[in-house]
Amino acid sequence: MDDSDIEEKKVGKSPIKKRALITNFLKWSAPSMARKDEIYGRTKAPLNIERPISLETKCGELREVLNCIRPPRAWCEDGVYWRQDVSDEPTTRPEVLALAEALDEAIIQSNARETGLCELREVIYADIFDELIRQVAINCIERGLLLLRIRNEAEDSIISFRRLYSSSLAYGVRKTLEADKDMILLKEEVEKISGEKAILEEELQNVRFTIAEKERELAERMEEIQTKHKNQLDLLTELQTNLKYQLLSITSLNKNKT
C-alpha cells in the first residue's frame, strides 16, 4: 500500500491525530496489521533521551528512539487495524542525494519564502531533519539521541518565540488601542481648549473695543476741558488788559488833578 493512499481515520472514540506536514521526507516501514490494544492500549513510559545508552541495550533502544522521532501511524480500514513505524533501514548515498533534490523541489513547489519567517519552509525543514535524525540514529544511537535533544530544544525555543511574539503583538495592539483612545481624548481636549480660546479672543476684542471707546471719550473730554480752559484764560487775559487800561486811566486823571 502506497503511503499517499493511507487514510488516517478515527478508531473507536479516540481520534488518530492527523499529520500536519505537507511533505513526507521521513522514511516509513511497510504497513502491518495490528491489534486494537496495541494502538490504544497502555503506552510505555517516554524514552529519556538525556541518559546515555549502553552498548548492550543499543539494539533494543533503536525502535524507541525511532518512535521518539515520530510516533507510529495507526488507522482503521475495513475493520482492520493497521500500524506503520518509522523505518529502521539504513540509507545509501544515492538516497541522500535524492533527498537533497527532493528538498529543493519541495521548497520550489510549495512557494516557500527563501528568507524571513515562513511556516511552509519551517515544516519542510523540520520533516527532513527528522529523516536525518533517523539516518544518524540507525548508525549511532547516541548521536541520534543528541540530535533529538537539539530538535526538541529548537522546537521549544520556537514555541517560546511564538508565544513571545503573540504576547508582544497583543501588547502592541493594546497599546495602539490605548494610544487611539488617548488620541481621542487629546482631540476632545484640543477642541475644548480651542473653544475656550475663541471665547477668550472674543472677550479680548470686546475689551479692546471698550478701551478704544474709553480712550476716545477721554480724548474728547480732555479736548473739551482744554478748550474751556483756553476760553477762560483768554477771557481773564482780556479782563486783565481792560483793568490795566482802566487803572492807567485813573492814574493819569489823578496826576492831572494834582
Side-chain angles (χ1 to χ4, degrees), residues 102 121 184 221 228:
R121 192 177 75 249
I184 293 174
R221 187 176 179 183
K228 183 178 180 180

Side-chain angles (χ1 to χ4, degrees), residues 172-257:
V173 172
R174 186 170 63 253
K175 285 299 181 180
T176 301
L177 294 176
E178 292 179 357
D180 293 340
K181 183 178 179 180
D182 293 340
M183 185 63 67
I184 293 174
L185 294 177
L186 288 175
K187 287 182 179 179
E188 293 177 354
E189 187 69 19
V190 169
E191 292 178 357
K192 180 180 178 181
I193 294 176
S194 299
E196 294 177 353
K197 177 186 176 184
I199 295 174
L200 292 176
E201 287 179 348
E202 184 178 358
E203 292 180 356
L204 179 61
Q205 292 294 333
N206 295 333
V207 170
R208 287 178 177 175
F209 179 76
T210 303
I211 292 175
E213 288 290 328
K214 294 295 183 182
E215 288 178 349
R216 184 179 61 80
E217 292 177 0
L218 180 61
E220 291 177 355
R221 187 176 179 183
M222 289 294 296
E223 185 179 359
E224 182 181 356
I225 293 173
Q226 288 177 358
T227 302
K228 183 178 180 180
H229 286 176
K230 183 178 179 182
N231 293 333
Q232 290 180 354
L233 180 61
D234 292 341
L235 181 61
L236 292 174
T237 302
E238 183 180 359
L239 180 61
Q240 181 183 8
T241 302
N242 293 332
L243 292 175
K244 183 177 180 181
Y245 288 151
Q246 290 178 5
L247 181 61
L248 290 175
S249 298
I250 295 172
T251 304
S252 297
L253 292 174
N254 292 331
K255 286 181 178 181
N256 291 330
K257 289 179 180 182

